[in-house]
Amino acid sequence: MDLQEVLNDIRTEVLDAGLKGSLPDYIPELANIDPEKFGMHLQTLDGRSFSFGDSQEKFSIQSISKVFTLVKAFQYKGSILWDRVGVEPSGDPFNSLQQLEFESGIPRNPLINAGALLTADILVSELKNPKLDFLEFVRSLAGSREVYYNEKVAYSELSCSHRNAAMVNLMKSFGNIQNDVNLVLDFYCHACSIEMSCTELAKAFLVFSNHGKLPHDQQQILSVSDTKRINSIMHACGFYDEVGMFSYRVGLPGKSGVGGGIVAIHPSDYSVAVWAPELNGKGNSVKGMMALELLTTKTGYSIF
Ligand code: GLN
């Protein structure tokens, strides 16, 4: 099958569908993005790549960074991490506070805001220069030094991070946050502000297709079974309260962000990133979901 042709067809069909969504205006800097942007990059483990559109343009990865903070926190803590955060789908919006109160400050999973604020707290404790060291980690996954924080986006979010501040405070009241609330928020908003292109994201996620080994330098950063766990968490929790629908339509583990990006992986085969800024009501890219649904439908190939 000619995968470039598949991608070209996906582009045409998605654009023809005329899907509409909205931009995340609760982060002022993200409301100014051109809603028409649309790019996709598929990277295979055997070194082939296919793309279209704005696949090389950097965008705000937002909640996709939650996978990176999870992996780094898991590297430090191993399975005792699960004393402080769960691995169950939340069934609630990504920024919901309700469960956190009922469940005594233990977030449902590391891929909703509360859970990523928790892994941020761990990294603020463990890393010597948290923001710098974390950025280096993401660069090492992407195999590129051209990965940066967007300070404007980070401070734009920090200036109106009232719900996230409420979550950190609530977790701290239950004894589940060790650091100063503002330090945790600052780290979290910076992680969300990282900018990467579809090409860079697909390369950075290839490690999860490759059972924990970085394809570009053969370094094993996670064991085979821990990589299985990260992929399982993505599959069960990567799309907030739309995780069932994403699985139903696409059938791959993945992660989305309110910057309009989605990354998904096929174990042993490929990773794929798509970017289209307009979001549905659950905070997932409308065109991105359709593009990935078409990919697994046209190829007849998902994890199922
Ligand atoms: N930075 C965003 C927030 O905390 C990330 C949310 C997302 O991408 N779903 O609200």
Side-chain angles (χ1 to χ4, degrees), residues 26-27 62-63 66 94 113 157 164 188 192 240 257-258:
Y26 76 99
I27 302 177
Q62 291 297 315
S63 278
K66 291 176 167 69
F94 60 82
N113 287 19
E157 180 168 9
N164 287 332
Y188 169 87
C192 290
Y240 328 113
V258 292

Side-chain angles (χ1 to χ4, degrees), residues 74-75 78-79 222-232:
F74 195 31
Q75 281 179 335
S79 55
L222 279 176
S223 69
V224 172
S225 77
D226 285 349
T227 310
K228 171 196 73 180
R229 297 182 203 291
I230 300 291
N231 288 341
S232 304

